[in-house]
Amino acid sequence: MKLVTWNVNSLKVRLPQVLDWLAAHQPDVLCLQETKLEDVNFPAAAISAAGYQTVFSGQKTYNGVAILSKTSASEIITAIPGYADVQKRVLAATIAGVRVINLYIPNGQSVDSDKYQYKLGWLEALTAWLTDELACHPRLAVLGDFNIAPDDRDVHDPKAWEGQVLFSLPEREAFQRLVDSGLTDSFRLFEQPEKIYSWWDYRMNAFRRNMGLRIDHILLSGELARTCKSCIIDKEARKAERPSDHAPVMVEF
DNA sequence: ATGGCGTACAGAGTACGA
């Protein structure tokens, strides 16, 4: 089974690239973040024509998540239960016996902002919920844009990023607590080349200079981690004309 | 130097991302 996460930064703009990517890679499941579309405008017909079913939870301008899959999705949840949030950042579904949890975790903006506190509170609620989900679904994958680089290796310049949002200690500790609830960072199951990232700023020629961060992740329950064969970041997608600033991350198990 | 670029909404300039 091939499972993918990709922050597309507007599905309206990136739809042709998403369709091309589906045709080229034929994943079983593709989780999207930052669709930036109200549900009424979701391009379900075009995606259906490409052979994929869709579930989605979006809003105007910001956020928005979707799951594209070859087989049908059930047990759909669009929010962390009991956590009130008007921002559409969560979509969970069961597909082919795998519990898929697609997340667009808050960015946090800067460590002294209200948005940073919202991010930390959100992560706490998420971890409590995922502990329950793991108990119900031994075959579980949590994937998405986490907006956290967990380790020095995941940052092009850890000294410069120290204490900054996306790499601050409280965020990394929250990520670790999430992992400690019973999940494995699939990327680190395998020997990986150095300086592999999933996001590069549009500015400052960051991509050309490989000034990136690894902030998009696929975390697997023990049962899925044991049979995981690979975790790859498709840097090629970031080279496209008018690319998303994120690259797709793909696991196979 | 708090910029740089890209997207959305709007119809110019601001908010936001990461």
Side-chain angles (χ1 to χ4, degrees), chain A residues 4-15:
Chain A
V4 183
T5 178
W6 192 8
N7 180 325
V8 288
N9 185 19
S10 169
L11 183 55
K12 186 180 173 185
V13 172
R14 232 66 67 190
L15 180 61

Side-chain angles (χ1 to χ4, degrees), chain A residues 107-117 120 161-171:
Chain A
N107 169 287
Q109 198 164 67
S110 68
V111 295
D112 55 3
S113 74
D114 292 344
K115 294 188 176 74
Y116 183 80
Q117 294 307 319
L120 294 180
W161 278 88
E162 191 177 344
Q164 302 294 313
V165 73
L166 314 184
F167 192 55
S168 73
L169 201 54
E171 291 165 88

Side-chain angles (χ1 to χ4, degrees), chain A residues 148-152 154-155 166-167 172 175 185 214-215 217:
Chain A
I148 300 172
D151 190 90
D152 280 5
D154 304 317
V155 180
L166 314 184
F167 192 55
R172 295 161 66 191
F175 182 89
D185 180 354
R214 192 176 69 92
I215 56 177
H217 306 297

Side-chain angles (χ1 to χ4, degrees), chain A residues 24-39:
Chain A
H25 294 88
Q26 293 289 312
D28 296 283
V29 178
L30 174 58
C31 294
L32 304 178
Q33 303 87 37
E34 286 207 87
T35 54
K36 301 188 179 180
L37 288 171
E38 289 184 294
D39 289 348

Side-chain angles (χ1 to χ4, degrees), chain A residues 165-207:
Chain A
V165 73
L166 314 184
F167 192 55
S168 73
L169 201 54
E171 291 165 88
R172 295 161 66 191
E173 286 171 345
F175 182 89
Q176 188 57 46
R177 282 193 292 274
L178 190 57
V179 166
D180 288 344
S181 72
L183 297 163
T184 301
D185 180 354
S186 58
F187 187 77
R188 295 297 175 203
L189 280 170
F190 306 97
E191 200 158 318
Q192 301 283 1
E194 288 184 14
K195 304 183 194 306
I196 298 294
Y197 310 117
S198 69
W199 169 84
W200 301 260
D201 202 304
Y202 284 122
R203 299 166 293 187
M204 303 178 294
N205 281 313
F207 182 66

Side-chain angles (χ1 to χ4, degrees), chain A residues 64-85:
Chain A
V65 281
I67 302 178
L68 283 45
S69 58
K70 287 195 168 179
T71 60
S72 65
S74 62
E75 300 180 275
I76 294 153
I77 287 182
T78 59
I80 300 171
Y83 183 80
D85 189 359

